[in-house]
Amino acid sequence: MTAVAPPYDGLLLGAHLATLDDARPGGHVVEDGALAWKDGRLSYVGPRADLPGAPDTLAREVITTRGWVTPGLIDCHTHLVFAGNRAHEFDMRLNGASYEDIARAGGGIRASVAAVRHVDEDTLLQQSLPRARALLQDGVTTLEIKSGYGLDFANERKLLRVARQIGAQLGITVRTTYLAAHALPPEFRGNADGYIDAVIDWLPRLHAEGLVDAVDAFCERIAFSPAQTRRVFDAARALGVPVKLHADQLSDLGGAALVAEYDGLSADHVEYTGEAGVRAMAAHGTVAVLLPGAFHVLRETKLPPIALLREHGVPMAVATDCNPGTSPLLSLRQAMQLACTHFRLTPYEALVGATRHAAQALGLHDRGMLREGLRADLVVWDIDHPAELCYWMGGTFVRRLWIAGRPVPLTQESAACV
């Protein structure tokens, strides 16, 4: 007689489930829950008592644990691939230097551009991998990585290629974002429109290599104008590539409304976004990505319009903005904690912001919740209540981790931001 294969590849028992699925009858929490998966997708999410049979007959592997299970965290805004660091700028700021002072001294984005242009692809990968590992160890199973520290074709390509290699080496989903419109490189000084011409010329070539999942720009007085940003977005639209925007971080240039007009995935930072921008985001389904790490490091005082975002039903994601200058942050949990502390998000809003809403900010509809049919990206946390994920500052709480139903080994390797 031929043995009948069990219906599930894996079955997880003994923990409580924070499904983050508000459409779930009875609420998003399942106490004494069970999770099963098959071919990398969730097949059962519910009470252990309602399983359709004895556990040992249902799955090839049955895992008993405790604590809480959430979807894998999603870091939807990072500049994680860079060379060197800018710790000396942190010191300069604390000794009274302004952003402009640092820039005049050769610092800021230009310093990271020079460092990236100085190293080869393998060196860049080896310097960046520890940062990605740190996020993985902290429960991140999907990661966005932007370019923007190359500012010429070869080096923007190098950044995007390294981002793809990080995903392949760690088995983590990496979404790549083309951010050549990040700053004006020295060779285009005084010729911003000419540089935008180059950014637009490089885009289809990089997209043809499979290196571009989305297009971003920095729309600010110190970067690129709304008109220049529109040109970049028009080029992305012609290729069918979604857009997002560094919007309204330092002033309200209408960036949030601009990216919403293009049905953009997200408007990021949004500290200065006014009600018109919020209404536009709500009308077009554009996510507000909150970046409390940069707010914290720069000691900003202008808060994002949280009340307006809630009032108009704009989804709020939370991300690390991991970068060498303004947010050297290697923990999405810490970003959640900062979002609660500085922006007054509730722990539930912060957790949804680092899962379900972060998935939406990346245009991903197959993850971010524990729901049958979605990817089996799972974290088992050694906690007594989900609010602890935003309560503790630091610490290691990940007990087990799966990406698409595949267990991920957890190590305590150093992940210094070097």
Side-chain angles (χ1 to χ4, degrees):
M1 180 181 295
T2 303
V4 177
Y8 307 138
D9 294 330
L11 176 61
L12 184 63
L13 305 172
H16 305 310
L17 313 180
T19 69
L20 310 182
D21 183 356
D22 290 341
R24 183 180 179 82
H28 72 92
V29 169
V30 180
E31 296 187 351
D32 191 18
L35 282 170
W37 56 89
K38 176 74 173 179
D39 298 329
R41 300 274 170 173
L42 291 169
S43 304
Y44 177 85
V45 179
R48 178 175 180 167
D50 292 348
L51 280 169
D56 58 357
T57 68
L58 292 174
R60 293 191 179 95
E61 181 182 16
V62 179
I63 304 103
T64 300
T65 187
R66 55 187 173 82
W68 281 82
V69 182
T70 71
L73 303 185
I74 299 170
D75 197 349
C76 64
H77 181 130
T78 85
H79 304 254
L80 182 144
V81 176
F82 57 84
N85 66 55
R86 283 153 52 192
H88 64 288
E89 294 181 15
F90 179 69
D91 189 14
M92 291 172 68
R93 276 196 299 272
L94 292 176
N95 280 283
S98 69
Y99 186 93
E100 291 184 1
D101 293 335
I102 292 169
R104 280 196 296 269
I109 293 170
R110 286 190 301 168
S112 291
V113 171
V116 164
R117 290 181 175 186
H118 184 70
V119 300
D120 61 23
E121 191 169 303
D122 186 63
T123 301
L124 188 60
L125 174 63
Q126 295 311 313
Q127 290 193 23
S128 301
L129 270 170
R131 295 187 281 271
R133 287 197 186 100
L135 292 171
L136 179 64
Q137 302 294 318
D138 199 47
V140 171
T141 56
T142 299
L143 176 65
E144 186 253 20
I145 300 177
K146 303 179 189 294
S147 67
Y149 291 135
L151 308 189
D152 62 21
F153 178 78
N155 286 288
E156 288 291 296
R157 181 175 183 266
K158 180 168 68 179
L159 289 158
L160 294 167
R161 281 172 54 86
V162 167
R164 284 281 190 248
Q165 291 175 62
I166 287 172
Q169 288 206 21
L170 299 185
I172 188 172
T173 300
V174 170
R175 303 291 286 179
T176 53
T177 298
Y178 176 62
L179 180 59
H182 193 198
L184 194 62
E187 55 268 28
F188 279 89
R189 183 174 287 114
N191 186 18
D193 286 329
Y195 179 62
I196 292 297
D197 289 340
V199 168
I200 291 169
D201 179 64
W202 303 335
L203 173 57
R205 297 156 66 187
L206 295 169
H207 181 252
E209 292 187 36
L211 294 175
V212 178
D213 295 321
V215 169
D216 196 350
F218 187 20
C219 183
E220 276 292 351
R221 291 188 181 93
I222 63 170
F224 298 100
S225 69
Q228 290 161 344
T229 301
R230 284 183 181 278
R231 293 180 58 206
V232 175
F233 283 2
D234 286 340
R237 176 180 277 177
L239 292 171
V241 179
V243 298
K244 53 183 62 182
L245 187 64
H246 284 62
D248 307 334
Q249 180 185 8
L250 306 174
S251 62
D252 187 1
L253 289 187
L258 190 160
V259 71
E261 178 187 330
Y262 284 80
D263 296 316
L265 294 173
S266 66
D268 301 32
H269 287 291
V270 299
E271 281 91 336
Y272 283 83
T273 298
E275 185 164 4
V278 172
R279 288 182 179 276
M281 293 168 69
H284 291 268
T286 300
V287 177
V289 177
L290 306 178
L291 303 173
F295 182 93
H296 178 79
V297 169
L298 295 175
R299 293 178 290 173
E300 295 287 357
T301 57
K302 177 66 174 176
L303 293 167
I306 302 299
L308 282 174
L309 294 168
R310 287 176 177 143
E311 178 185 345
H312 293 284
V314 175
M316 293 182 288
V318 177
T320 63
D321 192 18
C322 175
N323 74 70
T326 61
S327 189
L329 182 54
L330 293 174
S331 166
L332 185 49
R333 277 198 317 104
Q334 184 65 66
M336 293 158 58
Q337 203 279 340
L338 291 172
C340 293
T341 301
H342 288 309
F343 301 160
R344 300 298 190 267
L345 264 62
T346 68
Y348 180 72
E349 285 177 321
L351 182 54
V352 170
T355 51
R356 192 173 82 217
H357 291 165
Q360 185 177 344
L362 295 179
L364 299 173
H365 305 290
D366 63 346
R367 66 199 70 192
M369 294 182 287
L370 302 181
R371 177 189 285 177
E372 292 172 8
L374 299 189
R375 272 173 56 110
D377 290 353
L378 315 170
V379 187
V380 180
W381 302 95
D382 190 12
I383 56 176
D384 295 320
H385 191 280
E388 291 185 55
L389 297 177
C390 299
Y391 165 71
W392 293 107
M393 299 176 68
T396 302
F397 298 94
V398 176
R399 176 175 289 154
R400 301 286 297 270
L401 184 68
W402 287 264
I403 296 179
R406 177 184 56 81
V408 177
L410 299 174
T411 69
Q412 301 303 319
E413 291 185 44
S414 171
C417 201
V418 296

